[in-house]
Amino acid sequence: MSDRLNLAITCFPTFGGSGMVATEIGLAMADRGHRVHFIARDLPVRLHGMTRKVVFHEVAESDYPALAHSGTYPLALASKMIEVASYEPLDILHVHYAVPHATAAWMAREVLGDKAPRIVTTLHGTDTTLVGIDPTYLPITRFSILRSDAVTTPSAFLRRATWEGFGIPPETFPIDVIPNFVDTDCYAPIRDRAHLRQLFSDLGDDEPVLLHVSNFRPVKRIGDVVSVFAGVHRERPCRLVMIGDGPERSPAERRVRELGLEDRVAFLGKQERFVELLAAADVFLLPSEQESFGLAALEALSCGIPVVASDVGGIPEQIEHGVWGYLAPVGDVEAMARHVLSLVRDPERWRLFSRNARQHVLERFQLAPAIDRYEAIYRRLLAGT
Ligand code: GMT
């Protein structure tokens, strides 16, 4: 086996955390001298401008009229995997998200036979907790997971949920937990309120700013973000920055207008880069219904921004309640607002939480150790152990 690996990565090229994690893994592997291919529907968001380092293969669905609306993406993806593996001796195919990516990888492997790469599947959350355990998709998702040569999850919670949800006895099928990671040089504590003043020209010097980033899907409980903000604002005037877009954005904007708070809230939509705003905010809100990990919270912690979040899924694996953030039961917006107030009213406590947050991320969630672990899995599979 050569030292230089030939790796292909498949992910959703959207703003979600799974695509970002996949992209960072690919770029880091390319930095280590490995050959890296991305096979995806579109150029992954954080891959923009980086194409010299990696090769991108676009998955294009057939435009044959009879196939319109028949969901040919998994077939088109498997076909592209087969095509790439036919002229490149791929060692590893690392797919992010079980449905349909692990399924497409399995189909490609069946076709490729001896030329097939090893399949690594990283589960990210909803592929297990929502879609995967939907009875319609459960058998095919379970099958695709079990046919992978290695499976990883970003949290111990998701590993447990996968074993339980798919009825897989843990002793028969090991799953590696590799926590998500963050680029701590990029996500660093640099507090410069000038960026916030571009959003709120009348922002007071000590007026707290709350911030939320997500895909605004129902699972994120966007209504709770607004309720927590409104609860805090009643006691201590503050601002809210909302980054991202999705089905819950319009209802949230409507609610903010009904509350008469539109001058105090900035809805920015999808942003490719928002680290300057994040690092200048005071508290990050993540009141999700479910979260296998919560990458956006980790990025906030890396900037030294305390997080107030719901006590679900993998979130408690990265946030220690009362030390660098606060956790509350899902939907308990009063408790969340109280926690935010306890931070913004007590600068000494805020500074302590901020230091703890950054320290914790530096100790446990750096990029290089995570990449070492993925690479070790690739090499373990190729060594056949
Ligand atoms: O949060 C989302 O809905 C997007 C989704 C995705 O596919 O990117 O996020 C999932 O994967 C992220 C990266 O591992 C995790 O940080 C998120 O917690 C997870 N989302 C859910 O579990 C709801």
Side-chain angles (χ1 to χ4, degrees), residues 16-18 97 124-125 180 215 217 220 290-295:
S18 59
Y97 223 84
H124 281 278
N180 286 340
N215 53 18
R217 287 198 323 222
K220 302 294 175 183
Q290 186 50 271
E291 209 64 73
S292 75
F293 184 86
L295 184 61

Side-chain angles (χ1 to χ4, degrees), residues 107-140:
M107 287 193 280
R109 189 175 63 190
E110 288 295 292
V111 175
L112 285 162
D114 289 350
K115 280 189 140 193
R118 299 303 171 117
I119 300 172
V120 178
T121 298
T122 293
L123 304 171
H124 281 278
T126 43
D127 43 0
T128 292
T129 56
L130 274 175
V131 190
I133 55 162
D134 174 332
T136 316
Y137 295 108
L138 191 144
I140 192 93

Side-chain angles (χ1 to χ4, degrees), residues 18 21 36 90 147 158 200 219 242 255 261 291 373:
S18 59
V21 169
V36 179
L90 287 183
R147 287 298 183 278
L158 189 60
F200 307 109
V219 72
M242 301 285 268
R255 170 112 186 279
L261 293 173
E291 209 64 73
R373 294 197 54 202

